[in-house]
Amino acid sequence: MALKKNIENLWWKRFVLDREDMYGIDAAILMNQEVWKSSGHVAGFADPLVEDMKTKKRYRADHLLEEIGIDPKGMTLAEMDALIKEKGIKSPDGNALGDVRQFNMMFKTHVGASEDETSISYLRPETAQGMFVNFKNVVDSFHPKLPFGMAQIGKAFRNEIAPRDFIFRVRELEQMEIEYFVKPDDWRGVFDAFQKEQVEFLTDDLGLPATFIHQVEIADADRAHYSKHSVDTEFDFPIGQKELLGLAYRTDYDLKAHGLDYFDEESKSRFVPHCIEPTFGVGRTLLAVLSSAYTEDELGGEKRVYLKLSPKVAPYIAAVFPLLKNKPELVDKAREVFNMLRKDSALSGRIAFDDNGNIGKRYRRQDEIGTPFCITVDFDTLGENPENKDTVTLRNRDTGEQERVNIKNLVELLKK
Ligand code: GAP
């Protein structure tokens, strides 16, 4: 949770708080079918599916093709169907498969007292539509000039046929999305700028290795129904190179679909703005951070496993220990240091205290959750060696090296 919150906060800071042209919102999760009919999701938000004729279990047709080494990218339903039949592909239970069909991935329910045709609603499969249907609220409240954007972090729900690979593909996912509105002729420059900034967020804010990041232009047949141009950012996960986040040129598709437009004060004209959409999956970003931080090495002749997390995302920036837990004078001093660090607003909530077990075990525990620094209060801190009075040891997670630091310099050092 702490790691996830740090990722979300860094995203919100970069893309919303640090910009003047972005409006953060928190829209409804359940929306009436009319929204999803207009957006094209009722008709078009579907995966290709085949059914085991005996067990009636359903499988993703594109996944079955991938499993026998065929790349289904760009294939139509009919082409996938023909290939499955030609290759005689069976279900994982060894039974014959039916025809490839589209399977809508939205969760359907009824809202209100009556269960009739008009009360059908869907859990949102993307946070995006909540922003489009609130476009007029933002325009009427803030009168923003183009270009401007709306941003949201929240849950989305997809009835994935085959959730798999830990948190890579789940049915309850979380997205961090921006809908950025521009004059129609300006889309290309904005698209390119966001493409660059998406990568900067991954490398500069989250500390992901640039060599793990790949940008892939999406072919016409594979793009979502609303997109005219899409570039996915893929990442080297332990399960292979897979989609981490997306960028789409949604044109005027969505605003038009909901009957919305914009009056431009400058040109005194009314038109439908075009939209660029940078979208990030929170879970996949967390998985990228976790998997690329996992490190095995040897320290002091002992094997260890640790998370080499950037201090910006690590749940704790530092942990404070008394050298021994049964010496009240050490515990009191360590608590004093802990409370002093926690008082600083930049470090608040990011400092741990631990007096459990021996010091070696405490180091290992913090290494395992990626804490970059450990601070130990020892007898020198209390003045046993007057030269070191009011200093503590500061241990570096990656090298295991320790230096003595004056307590009064700790806040600045950790913030840096
Ligand atoms: N509004 C655009 C949109 O939803 P998408 O490519 O379908 O685009 C955006 O989803 C991001 O959401 C993906 O790049 C991915 O990070 C994440 N995502 C999509 N489906 C997911 C799932 N089933 N489990 C986890 N994350 C998912």
Side-chain angles (χ1 to χ4, degrees):
M1 183 65 193
L3 182 58
K4 175 170 163 276
K5 271 278 159 226
N6 290 341
I7 292 170
E8 289 175 355
N9 289 344
L10 286 164
W11 187 89
W12 195 256
K13 177 167 166 24
R14 173 184 280 266
F15 290 108
V16 183
L17 301 182
D18 287 354
R19 300 177 62 128
E20 274 186 61
D21 56 352
M22 208 64 88
Y23 299 88
I25 75 156
D26 190 13
I29 285 174
L30 262 175
M31 288 195 280
N32 187 270
Q33 60 182 324
E34 294 307 326
V35 170
W36 305 108
K37 280 183 187 166
S38 301
S39 69
H41 284 79
V42 170
F45 192 66
D47 269 345
L49 166 122
V50 277
E51 200 169 273
D52 179 317
M53 301 298 278
K54 200 166 162 197
T55 64
K56 304 293 174 203
K57 278 191 208 158
R58 289 163 172 182
Y59 301 95
R60 285 270 295 264
D62 52 336
H63 288 174
L64 292 177
L65 289 169
E66 269 170 13
E67 276 161 23
I68 60 158
I70 296 174
D71 182 2
K73 274 193 188 125
M75 281 186 197
T76 61
L77 277 193
E79 283 165 347
M80 280 190 236
D81 192 57
L83 256 178
I84 285 178
K85 293 196 166 89
E86 183 192 314
K87 302 276 174 195
I89 298 175
K90 297 256 184 293
S91 79
D93 292 326
N95 303 317
L97 293 166
D99 295 339
V100 178
R101 288 189 295 120
Q102 290 283 23
F103 173 72
N104 195 293
M105 296 167 73
M106 285 194 295
F107 288 99
K108 198 180 196 176
T109 188
H110 290 268
V111 170
S114 61
E115 274 206 12
D116 57 22
E117 176 55 26
T118 60
S119 66
I120 294 174
S121 298
Y122 294 94
L123 287 173
R124 63 185 184 199
E126 58 167 5
T127 64
Q129 294 305 321
M131 292 187 266
F132 295 125
V133 298
N134 276 292
F135 175 81
K136 195 169 161 9
N137 285 335
V138 169
V139 170
D140 290 349
S141 310
F142 298 99
H143 307 285
K145 281 203 183 93
L146 288 176
F148 73 91
M150 294 169 69
Q152 174 165 226
I153 299 179
K155 287 250 164 147
F157 302 82
R158 297 181 183 186
N159 197 0
E160 296 280 357
I161 300 160
R164 57 164 91 167
D165 298 321
F166 187 35
I167 54 172
F168 183 82
R169 190 177 302 285
V170 292
R171 291 184 173 129
E172 262 188 50
L173 55 132
E174 219 157 335
Q175 295 182 318
M176 307 184 279
E177 290 197 306
I178 294 166
E179 308 305 324
Y180 197 80
F181 303 101
V182 298
K183 289 182 182 164
D185 289 341
D186 295 344
W187 79 269
R188 187 77 233 197
V190 174
F191 188 97
D192 293 346
F194 271 121
Q195 192 178 342
K196 195 164 157 269
E197 206 173 351
Q198 282 186 310
V199 174
E200 279 167 10
F201 171 69
L202 298 178
T203 54
D204 302 1
D205 291 4
L206 307 184
L208 295 180
T211 51
F212 282 39
I213 296 167
H214 314 277
Q215 308 229 287
V216 180
E217 201 169 314
I218 305 302
D220 291 3
D222 292 328
R223 278 200 303 268
H225 62 273
Y226 47 71
S227 178
K228 200 165 173 188
H229 181 62
S230 289
V231 174
D232 277 355
T233 296
E234 298 189 344
F235 189 79
D236 292 326
F237 290 100
I239 48 168
Q241 183 181 321
K242 303 264 180 199
E243 179 190 341
L244 168 58
L245 46 94
L247 180 63
Y249 171 35
R250 293 182 79 129
T251 66
D252 56 2
Y253 177 89
D254 301 273
L255 290 184
K256 237 184 196 164
H258 295 299
L260 296 161
D261 62 10
Y262 174 87
F263 183 73
D264 184 42
E265 292 290 347
E266 249 169 47
S267 60
K268 303 283 178 223
S269 62
R270 190 168 277 286
F271 59 91
V272 183
H274 280 216
C275 177
I276 306 294
E277 179 194 66
T279 175
F280 302 67
V282 177
R284 286 192 193 176
T285 308
L286 182 98
L287 189 60
V289 168
L290 265 184
S291 60
S292 59
Y294 180 90
T295 311
E296 293 177 5
D297 72 354
E298 237 183 68
L299 192 66
E302 263 185 58
K303 278 196 167 37
R304 81 167 166 161
V305 169
Y306 74 105
L307 289 183
K308 203 169 179 166
L309 293 174
S310 151
K312 288 188 186 172
V313 289
Y316 297 113
I317 294 171
V320 180
F321 312 145
L323 181 66
L324 301 169
K325 79 183 228 182
N326 54 2
K327 297 279 175 201
E329 61 275 34
L330 287 177
V331 176
D332 288 351
K333 188 70 187 172
R335 281 253 162 227
E336 198 184 294
V337 173
F338 170 64
N339 286 326
M340 175 200 77
L341 295 176
R342 280 206 308 175
K343 245 190 239 145
D344 186 274
S345 60
L347 302 176
S348 162
R350 309 279 308 276
I351 307 292
F353 182 88
D354 191 1
D355 59 3
N356 217 338
N358 69 40
I359 200 96
K361 281 209 181 106
R362 290 184 228 156
Y363 284 152
R364 292 291 174 274
R365 266 206 297 275
Q366 295 301 328
D367 288 349
E368 278 173 10
I369 60 167
T371 309
F373 300 102
C374 288
I375 294 161
T376 303
V377 168
D378 57 17
F379 291 107
D380 275 18
T381 317
L382 303 178
E384 194 168 283
N385 174 357
E387 239 176 60
N388 288 337
K389 185 162 170 18
D390 288 327
T391 67
V392 288
T393 64
L394 185 72
R395 171 187 177 270
N396 180 305
R397 173 197 65 202
D398 300 347
T399 61
E401 277 166 15
Q402 298 183 27
E403 56 175 323
R404 284 210 86 88
V405 174
N406 202 301
I407 291 172
K408 66 176 194 293
N409 298 332
L410 271 178
V411 169
E412 281 319 305
L413 219 105
L414 293 179
K415 275 159 84 167
K416 206 167 93 194

